[in-house]
Amino acid sequence: MYYALMGEDVAGSLQKRSEARPGHLARLQALQDEGRLLIAGPLPAVDAVDPGAAGYTGSLIVAEFDSLEDARKWMEDDPYTAEGVFSRVTVKPFRKVFPA
């Protein structure tokens, strides 16, 4: 089943994000290589593809896991969570309808 993993950034997270990004991307790449990643990306703090110094307000990942517990554990172990980029994490079941 798919799960939506949402992280909300702490204020001024840009430096922490930059430092933790390589490990975070490696974990996302592993999900993609396993065919389990539906979508992933950051949420810009301003209406721009590159928010520059404004940074990001969080991230969204939709990926397949065996259980809600497994999805929560994956998010707990992610560098963005472990390194304090996220102030809050939410993990919920996700049912893909479109595109079919």
Side-chain angles (χ1 to χ4, degrees), residues 13-89:
S13 65
L14 198 52
Q15 182 64 35
K16 285 183 180 185
R17 266 185 172 271
S18 295
E19 293 168 2
R21 190 168 191 260
H24 173 73
L25 293 180
R27 296 181 87 235
L28 290 173
Q29 186 65 55
L31 286 177
Q32 181 173 304
D33 292 349
E34 295 166 4
R36 297 170 45 202
L37 183 63
L38 186 62
I39 193 169
L43 306 170
V46 295
D47 189 12
V49 173
D50 181 356
Y56 299 91
T57 61
S59 294
L60 170 66
I61 300 163
V62 179
E64 188 174 19
F65 293 91
D66 290 334
S67 68
L68 180 59
E69 184 177 320
D70 287 348
R72 286 180 176 152
K73 177 70 173 140
W74 189 95
M75 194 63 159
E76 180 182 303
D77 293 341
D78 188 75
Y80 279 3
T81 304
E83 299 299 323
V85 173
F86 295 144
S87 62
R88 184 172 126 181
V89 170

